[in-house]
Amino acid sequence: MEDTLNDASSSAIEVAPTRQQRAMLDIVGLYKRFGAVEVLRDVSFAVSPGEVVVVIGPSGSGKTTLLRCINLLEEYERGTITVDGEPIGYRIDGNSRRRVRTSEREIARARERIGMVFQSFNLFPHMNVLQNIVAAPVRVKHIERRQAEARACELLAMVGLSDKAAEYPIRLSGGQQQRVAIARALAMDPKIMLFDEVTSALDPELVGEVLAAMQRLASDGMTMVVVTHEMSFARDIADRIVFMDGGVVVEAGRPDQLLFAPQTERVRAFLKRYNDRYRI
């Protein structure tokens, strides 16, 4: 199994986009372990500006850990991650060629370029919707409050919540809270957005409104990496789908290729089990 995965991982990297511009996200040789468990093993792929890459795979395959490493919420043992050409967390020393951790100031500045939306909403319960959205731009980026509030109103309109600015999170549905979380991440004007199973905690009736907000972002050209089990959504939104299992990239390709004509037996088996319950 391990040899199969490693062979597939090597071939999958060749499916990376060939666009001429510099990659917005570039991951090379990423390795992460928790104790004796290897969670990510030599993961490499790039995401072009404006591209939407959806990461799928079974539970425990390393998808969430991958996102957390991109935002340096998890340290990683080997490899490099760059966003818009700037290293995240570590850089290679020009003289020794060793990997050196960047300063906390540099890490904080790098995180400003990365928006992340989690499974849980993580809104501040003592702040209303508007206050939740403007808090980081005002405190971290020192944006004038009136300007931050104007931008927050624009973002609330984009996610369909213009009438909820004065509401507190407890008075919102799960779908509304998740859309506020998306608006809050966008308020920092990130270069790339990361989404980690953002619909998994929602009732089925609320999933559509969150996916619609993400679809709008994709249409507007936001660079996105999306971890999801929503296969139909992956088919509709992705420029490219990456399948992970056992901490490696098994296969990557366009949605029509990977979902309907996969090249590896592992992906075929995964999609067959999925299609036994749902239809893509």
Side-chain angles (χ1 to χ4, degrees):
M1 175 68 172
E2 181 173 342
D3 289 341
T4 302
L5 289 176
N6 286 334
D7 290 345
S9 178
S10 298
S11 63
I13 297 171
E14 298 173 2
V15 187
T18 57
R19 303 181 189 183
Q20 295 301 311
Q21 67 265 52
R22 179 176 68 188
M24 180 59 70
L25 171 67
D26 195 11
I27 303 171
V28 178
L30 186 62
Y31 180 89
K32 169 66 181 176
R33 68 188 303 159
F34 292 114
V37 180
E38 295 176 310
V39 182
L40 298 173
R41 299 184 289 144
D42 196 29
V43 171
S44 299
F45 66 89
V47 182
S48 296
E51 187 181 20
V52 178
V53 171
V54 173
V55 184
I56 65 172
S59 298
S61 59
K63 305 184 300 295
T64 291
T65 301
L66 171 65
L67 293 190
R68 292 177 63 84
C69 286
I70 293 171
N71 208 19
L72 209 68
L73 297 176
E74 296 286 354
E75 304 281 344
Y76 49 94
E77 282 75 22
R78 293 199 300 271
T80 60
I81 300 173
T82 59
V83 172
D84 199 21
E86 297 295 325
I88 301 297
Y90 304 91
R91 58 178 174 80
I92 303 300
D93 182 78
N95 296 320
S96 67
R97 305 308 300 168
R98 293 182 177 180
R99 198 177 66 137
V100 179
R101 197 176 193 280
T102 55
S103 69
E104 293 302 321
R105 182 186 294 268
E106 290 174 301
I107 291 171
R109 190 161 53 243
R111 283 184 177 137
E112 292 180 14
R113 301 194 297 271
I114 306 168
M116 186 161 181
V117 184
F118 302 85
Q119 296 179 37
S120 55
F121 318 127
N122 295 325
L123 300 178
F124 297 115
H126 63 288
M127 294 182 179
N128 65 27
V129 165
L130 187 66
Q131 292 167 337
N132 263 280
I133 296 172
V134 304
V138 170
R139 297 178 184 178
V140 177
K141 300 187 76 172
H142 307 294
I143 294 174
E144 198 271 331
R145 179 170 292 276
R146 184 176 299 179
Q147 179 184 346
E149 289 180 350
R151 175 60 175 155
C153 290
E154 292 176 359
L155 293 171
L156 285 173
M158 189 200 74
V159 298
L161 294 174
S162 293
D163 59 337
K164 302 297 182 182
E167 295 285 3
Y168 284 82
I170 197 172
R171 295 178 59 87
L172 302 179
S173 69
Q176 289 171 335
Q177 290 189 59
Q178 195 61 287
R179 283 185 283 160
V180 172
I182 292 172
R184 181 177 61 179
L186 290 171
M188 292 293 286
D189 195 24
K191 297 283 189 178
I192 185 170
M193 287 284 290
L194 312 177
F195 295 89
D196 183 21
E197 294 285 7
V198 294
T199 61
S200 63
L202 301 179
D203 294 334
E205 292 181 344
L206 302 177
V207 169
E209 61 191 41
V210 175
L211 297 184
M214 294 171 65
Q215 184 75 62
R216 170 71 182 275
L217 279 182
S219 299
D220 289 345
M222 173 60 72
T223 308
M224 298 163 60
V225 179
V226 181
V227 168
T228 186
H229 284 113
E230 300 280 346
M231 294 298 165
S232 297
F233 179 63
R235 175 199 64 202
D236 294 341
I237 196 175
D239 294 304
R240 191 158 43 104
I241 296 179
V242 172
F243 180 90
M244 292 185 65
D245 190 24
V248 302
V249 175
V250 177
E251 187 173 341
R254 299 183 310 273
D256 58 343
Q257 172 195 321
L258 189 139
L259 294 177
F260 302 109
Q263 301 299 300
T264 60
E265 182 57 37
R266 179 66 188 94
V267 178
R268 286 193 288 269
F270 175 83
L271 293 175
K272 181 181 184 303
R273 285 199 298 271
Y274 184 89
N275 278 321
D276 285 343
R277 298 177 59 190
Y278 309 99
R279 293 188 63 188
I280 296 177

